[in-house]
């Protein structure tokens, strides 16, 4: 499937971030109880009907764990995660977990 150009800003460390993400070989893996426990805990702690652990690749946000959402992924350019990755890079911070978790390695 051809990738369409993203409409959100791309961090300057995008190639490095994507290389690290692909080294983890976690994309498109089956659900795991450990991640599901974290997602359920986040939904409960923040009293939210939806919680996700998502990973951003070149074109999508892929969900490792979902509570209250039935999709497995969404286009990257419509996610808040894209802006989280950009913000994390600008402040030299790493976002490791949260309600809509973005792993920005």
């Amino acid at each position: 499937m051809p990738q369409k150009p993203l409409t959100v800003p791309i961090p300057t460390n995008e190639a490095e971030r994507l290389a690290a993400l692909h080294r983890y070989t976690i994309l498109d893996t089956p659900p795991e109880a450990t991640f599901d426990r974290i997602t359920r805990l986040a939904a409960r702690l923040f009293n939210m009907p939806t919680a996700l652990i998502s990973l951003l690749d070149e074109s999508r946000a892929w969900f490792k764990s979902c509570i209250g959402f039935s999709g497995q992924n969404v286009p990257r350019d419509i996610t808040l995660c894209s802006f989280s990755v950009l913000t994390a890079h600008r402040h030299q911070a790493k976002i490791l977990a949260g309600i809509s978790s973005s792993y920005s390695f």
Side-chain angles (χ1 to χ4, degrees):
M1 173 166 53
Q3 295 179 3
K4 70 174 197 163
L6 293 175
T7 58
V8 295
I10 302 298
T12 57
N13 72 333
E14 182 72 351
E16 176 185 75
R17 187 191 71 77
L18 288 171
L21 174 63
H22 290 293
R23 278 195 306 273
Y24 285 101
T25 62
I26 193 171
L27 291 172
D28 301 307
T29 58
E32 294 180 49
T34 302
F35 287 96
D36 293 342
R37 280 193 299 273
I38 294 167
T39 308
R40 282 193 304 274
L41 177 63
R44 191 173 70 240
L45 285 174
F46 294 100
N47 194 29
M48 299 299 292
T50 304
L52 308 163
I53 295 178
S54 62
L55 299 148
L56 254 49
D57 70 9
E58 295 83 353
S59 62
R60 67 186 171 144
W62 174 77
F63 305 127
K64 178 63 179 170
S65 179
C66 307
I67 301 294
F69 187 81
S70 61
Q72 291 185 315
N73 62 74
V74 296
R76 177 177 171 166
D77 60 353
I78 65 167
T79 68
L80 290 175
C81 301
S82 294
F83 295 99
S84 297
V85 169
L86 184 65
T87 302
H89 173 67
R90 284 187 182 155
H91 297 289
Q92 299 301 309
K94 300 294 181 194
I95 299 170
L96 297 177
I99 288 296
S100 177
S101 298
S102 301
Y103 287 82
S104 57
F105 302 103

